[in-house]
Each structure stands twice: as C-alpha cells, then as structure tokens.
Amino acid sequence: MNANRELSRLSGWGNTAPSMCHVVDASGLDTIRAAIDESNARGVIARGLGRSYGAPAQNAGGTVLLMTDHGDSSIVLDHMTGLVTADARVSLERLMTELVPQGWFVPVTPGTRQVTVGGAIASDIHGKNHHVDGSFGDHVVKITLLTSEGDVRVLTPNESSSEFWATVGGMGLTGVILNATFKMIPITTSRMRVETSRAENLSALMAAMQDDRNYRYSVAWIDLVAKGTRMGRGVLTRGDHASLSDLKSVDESSALEFNPKTLLSAPPIFPTGMLNKWTVSAFNELWFRKAPARVHESIETIGAFFHPLDGVRQWNRLYGRSGFVQYQFVIPFGAEDTLEAIVQKLSAENCASFLAVLKYFGKANPGPLSFPMEGWTLALDVPAHGGRMAAVFAEVDELVLRAGGRHYLAKDAHIRPDAVVRGYPRLQEWCEVQQRMDPRRMWQSDLARRLRLTTG
Ligand SMILES: Cc1cc2nc3c(=O)[nH]c(=O)nc-3n(C[C@H](O)[C@H](O)[C@H](O)COP(=O)(O)OP(=O)(O)OC[C@H]3O[C@@H](n4cnc5c(N)ncnc54)[C@H](O)[C@@H]3O)c2cc1C
C-alpha cells in the first residue's frame, strides 16, 4: 500500500492549526479494503482531485483514499447510446481528451476540468447548463459503490433509489464510488458559439437572464465592488455547442480537435493583500469595459468558454500565502429582493472578489443533499487575510436561510451546522439512509465533523 502523511487544514479562513492525515493511494479494490481495515476511529474518506474548496476530502487524524487516475483507469463508451462507463478516478479532462474527438461531451462540467467522476457525483456538480440539463447526478444511470462493510453494490435511480440519491451529492459519506455509467452529449464540433453582452446594473442583468432558457449554457460575471446605479453590473455569456456550419475558418477534419493545454503560469508568490478593494476595482473596471457594449457573437474553444482558470497553472497563487475562501449560495425565485440586499451588502463592504458568478438554476433533482434548486446562485471568492469578511458572510448566511436558500457544501469552509439543517430540509431523510449504508460510521471528513452531517 502506497501511503503518506499530509497536513490537513481545518478551515478556509486560514487561522486554524493544520493536523495530519494518512493518505493512501487507492489503486485497487484490495488496497481500499486494506485501508478501511487498518483505519482508526477518525475513519476514512475518498478524495478525487481535491478541487472542492473546503474540507470534504480532508480527514484530520484519519485516512484519505486517493481516488485519482494514473492514466490506466477505464473508459468504455457505447457509441450507439452515448452512455459511458468510467472508473470514478477518471478526470473530466481525460473524458474530454478521449471523447470530444469522437463527438461526445460530458453532460455537465464545472469551471474546471480537473475533477474526477467520483467527485462530480459526490458533490452533484452543476455547470452553466443547469437550467436546461440539471446537475451531474441527473445523467447517471448506475453507480458501483464500495460500502464500509467491504461489499460492492450497484445503485441505480430506479431499483435502489434512496441509496443512489443519498450518494449523489452525499459528499463521499455513503461509500467509495468505484465507477459510474452516465450519458454524454453528442456534439459535431469542439467549439462553442458564444454571445456576450453586458448589463449596467443588477436589475438589468437579471432581466437579461430571463431568456436564459433559449441558451443551453449561461453564466454572468458580476462586479461586486461597483456601487450606486452601477451596483451588480455584469457581463453575461451564453452559448451552445457550435455546429459545423457555424465554423467558417475550420475544416471538417479538425472540427472535433480538443487541446487541454495550460497557457500561462501564475508567478510563484503573490504578496498577500495584493488583491484588495483597489486592485479588484481596477480589474473589474477593465473586465467590464473589455466586454462589448452590444451583444457580440464569437466562436470559442471548450477551454476558453468553460474552463478559463485551467489555462493558468496554479492560479490560486494570485491570492498570496493566506489563500482565499469560496462562498456559494442559492436562493429561490421570488426572493430577488434578498439577492439585491446581499449584493448591496457585499458592495458596501468592498468585497474584494474578482471571480463572482451569478447563475440561474433549473429544477432540483431527488438528491436530499444535492445543492441546486430553482433560483439564483451566486459564487464568489475573497482573500482569506482576515478583515470583516467572516462576519459579513455570517450576516449573508442569515439572509440566504431566511429566504429559503442554502449553501454549497463542496465550496464551504464557513457555515455552521444549523445552516445545513435549515438549508437542506431533507437532511434527516439523508441521515437515515446514510446511517443504514454506513452502520460502522466509517466515512468521515473534516467537513462532515464540522457540520455534524453524520452525527446529527
Ligand atoms: C476552479 C474551480 C471551479 C469550480 N467550478 C464549479 C462549478 O462550476 N460547479 C460545481 O458544482 N463545482 C465547481 N467546483 C467544485 C468542484 O467541481 C467540486 O468540488 C468537485 O467535487 C471536485 O471534484 P474532485 O474530484 O476534485 O473531488 P474532491 O474535491 O477530491 O472531493 C469532493 C467530494 O467528493 C468525494 N469523492 C471524491 N471521489 C470520490 C469517490 N471515488 N467516491 C466517493 N466520494 C468521492 C469526496 O469525499 C468529497 O466529499 C469548482 C472547483 C474549482 C477548483
């Protein structure tokens, strides 16, 4: 068994002491079973590529099973149905590299390709197409899961639906996903037909997003520093997979080419505090002005449209040594006043976030811990160098919960246990299934302990 020890930081705010966990490269079923047998009372958690922002894949004092691909994990595509069966370790980047040239795209992609199939299911990830296609779990027809008893179980949304939906969005706390079968999207080119427009304030932006249903993909960047009549101004980007006839300068033989290369590297060290209200204001002004004042159409690569941050190696260094905190919530339609109050609050506090993203979600799926629900979702990141942001987020938490909203567990380093109880009304139902699936209380993580997900 290939194992090492690593430091696990318990909070995203960067002010708590890190502690050790035991990391095992889970290269086969025997290794996983052995790691479970040898684990201590702090339990075990699976980790994919570690791209979740808080600590759902960290387990201080316990074991972390590293479920990552060494290039040899299997991907089997049925060309007739578009169903792919992939090892849970396989990354979305590898799926795209192998399947885009064959005319298939993943059903849902987050803002990075560096996530595994296991991580995509456990967080029930959403993308720019949630309002049309739902989240990753909506496309999964079969999950093969290793339970804490060491049994391999096949879960489907029909025959074993409560276990299936407890695993979708279940943050790794129902077992280790070994592989999954899900439906891919057929494409004829690897390019995106994109429409970009800008809106002068939040009301104009939300009004423009009303016709999102006409586009498969949609997302808005929002300026959280702008104030007064410009508060909540943003740039709206919408689009769909381009067809061959959309591509004027690309010949048919290269229409499905996919190149996942990184273009830039962030400088090794950025001084902490470099991202502040002045630098973020300047960046946001430039970003807003760079967007065309009138609707502009363009053809973009998959990387440029979906994963701009993947083009910059170690982009997280831009936040300096103390890092940053991600924060994402959703509030239901009808609570637009609350969204406006939150944006106003963040703007008044000079929230130094240059990566704030507003999106609108379609229908929720049956997963009790799945994050998306019909409504508006705002994701932002702020530098983690103290200041008032923790207190500001606590106030925003309350506004979100009072409006009937909730927070995204895969991006959480901040909320308190009662925010999960209030935000996820079917938490108790999930807990009952989870306890049935894990009577030994084997699956544990720093996130689960902090939010008391498995202990009630
Ligand atoms: C730049 C960036 C952009 C992002 N954009 C989005 C976005 O647009 N939408 C979105 O939804 N998310 C987004 N995310 C978050 C990311 O998609 C999720 O956190 C995803 O779960 C990460 O996958 P991973 O393989 O790295 O899993 P990890 O971070 O390693 O783990 C995440 C969870 O999955 C569990 N898990 C992992 N593998 C397994 C397995 N084999 N069996 C059981 N459980 C497992 C872990 O226990 C943990 O609970 C973004 C993250 C980054 C860094």
Side-chain angles (χ1 to χ4, degrees):
M1 190 186 310
N2 183 5
N4 65 2
R5 301 185 77 74
E6 73 169 24
L7 290 173
S8 164
R9 194 175 279 284
L10 299 179
S11 158
W13 293 105
N15 55 3
T16 47
S19 62
M20 301 292 274
C21 62
H22 182 65
V23 180
V24 176
D25 186 352
S27 49
L29 206 49
D30 292 345
T31 329
I32 303 176
R33 286 193 172 119
I36 292 173
D37 288 346
E38 288 164 22
S39 65
N40 62 23
R42 301 283 286 184
V44 179
I45 195 71
R47 177 187 297 167
L49 279 162
R51 286 326 196 262
S52 42
Y53 284 98
Q58 295 192 35
N59 189 15
T63 301
V64 167
L65 290 171
L66 209 50
M67 294 290 292
T68 47
D69 186 19
H70 298 295
D72 53 357
S73 305
S74 87
I75 301 176
V76 179
L77 173 72
D78 179 333
H79 288 267
M80 297 300 286
T81 59
L83 283 171
V84 67
T85 300
D87 192 301
R89 300 168 174 81
V90 169
S91 68
L92 296 199
E93 174 159 299
R94 205 180 132 209
L95 280 173
M96 290 179 211
T97 306
E98 297 201 6
L99 302 185
V100 166
Q102 299 183 47
W104 297 98
F105 191 63
V106 292
V108 170
T109 177
T112 173
R113 301 181 293 270
Q114 305 298 340
V115 306
T116 61
V117 167
I121 295 171
S123 298
D124 193 22
I125 59 166
H126 56 270
K128 295 177 179 184
N129 56 341
H130 190 277
H131 58 293
V132 174
D133 293 317
S135 48
F136 202 88
D138 290 301
H139 305 270
V140 178
V141 297
K142 196 174 90 180
I143 295 172
T144 309
L145 188 83
L146 181 76
T147 69
S148 55
E149 310 287 305
D151 303 328
V152 174
R153 291 199 50 196
V154 173
L155 309 179
T156 69
N158 306 320
E159 289 100 56
S160 39
S161 71
S162 61
E163 283 93 352
F164 178 92
W165 289 112
T167 300
V168 170
M171 305 310 296
L173 298 166
T174 60
V176 180
I177 300 166
L178 300 174
N179 62 59
T181 304
F182 48 93
K183 196 142 175 52
M184 301 286 285
I185 295 177
I187 51 173
T188 50
T189 79
S190 59
R191 313 302 200 280
M192 304 301 298
R193 185 166 25 84
V194 183
E195 245 184 58
T196 308
S197 57
R198 67 187 202 202
E200 298 298 327
N201 53 44
L202 185 62
S203 316
L205 184 61
M206 287 162 80
M209 291 170 86
Q210 292 302 328
D211 66 336
D212 268 9
R213 281 192 176 78
N214 299 328
Y215 302 82
R216 183 166 212 161
Y217 300 99
S218 165
V219 75
W221 167 84
I222 171 169
D223 181 355
L224 285 180
V225 187
K227 294 188 173 38
T229 53
R230 299 179 311 160
M231 188 195 83
R233 66 180 177 174
V235 178
L236 181 56
T237 319
R238 302 187 281 197
D240 204 340
H241 298 278
S243 62
L244 265 176
S245 59
D246 293 321
L247 307 185
K248 298 196 174 63
S249 55
V250 179
D251 67 83
E252 205 172 327
S253 61
S254 57
L256 283 165
E257 264 176 9
F258 176 72
N259 182 359
K261 78 167 186 263
T262 308
L263 303 173
L264 301 164
S265 264
I269 307 286
F270 248 68
T272 293
M274 177 94 184
L275 288 182
N276 52 43
K277 66 178 177 185
W278 291 285
T279 50
V280 169
S281 269
F283 171 87
N284 285 6
E285 185 64 33
L286 272 176
W287 197 252
F288 184 76
R289 296 283 154 218
K290 186 175 120 356
R294 288 166 195 280
V295 176
H296 172 80
E297 288 184 13
S298 58
I299 296 291
E300 293 183 8
T301 60
I302 284 172
F305 183 69
F306 289 108
H307 317 118
L309 284 177
D310 285 355
V312 186
R313 199 189 313 273
Q314 292 181 314
W315 56 268
N316 49 320
R317 285 174 171 172
L318 295 172
Y319 290 86
R321 287 193 194 282
S322 52
F324 66 97
V325 175
Q326 261 274 334
Y327 183 75
Q328 183 169 2
F329 63 83
V330 55
I331 51 169
F333 291 135
E336 284 74 15
D337 287 355
T338 302
L339 182 62
E340 197 164 322
I342 292 171
V343 171
Q344 198 159 20
K345 174 154 229 20
L346 295 170
S347 150
E349 296 285 349
N350 290 311
C351 174
S353 175
F354 73 102
L355 272 180
V357 167
L358 180 68
K359 214 203 115 44
Y360 111 41
F361 281 152
K363 286 202 183 330
N365 69 26
L369 277 199
S370 172
F371 167 66
M373 62 192 258
E374 273 188 309
W376 299 94
T377 181
L378 182 65
L380 55 129
D381 46 20
V382 290
H385 47 75
R388 270 185 46 74
M389 283 322 288
V392 172
F393 281 168
E395 287 173 43
V396 175
D397 289 350
E398 194 50 37
L399 292 173
V400 167
L401 295 167
R402 271 202 223 140
R406 57 184 172 228
H407 300 83
Y408 188 19
L409 300 181
K411 292 191 175 180
D412 176 61
H414 154 80
I415 57 169
R416 300 169 61 85
D418 70 302
V420 190
V421 176
R422 291 168 66 192
Y424 289 84
R426 293 171 58 218
L427 176 66
Q428 190 51 36
E429 179 189 329
W430 177 83
C431 287
E432 282 163 20
V433 181
Q434 193 274 337
Q435 279 160 25
R436 203 169 66 226
M437 292 175 79
D438 182 23
R440 298 168 66 194
R441 302 218 160 169
M442 177 63 64
W443 313 119
Q444 297 182 37
S445 65
D446 291 347
L447 174 99
R449 270 188 289 270
R450 177 168 61 82
L451 296 180
R452 299 193 206 124
L453 294 177
T454 52
T455 49

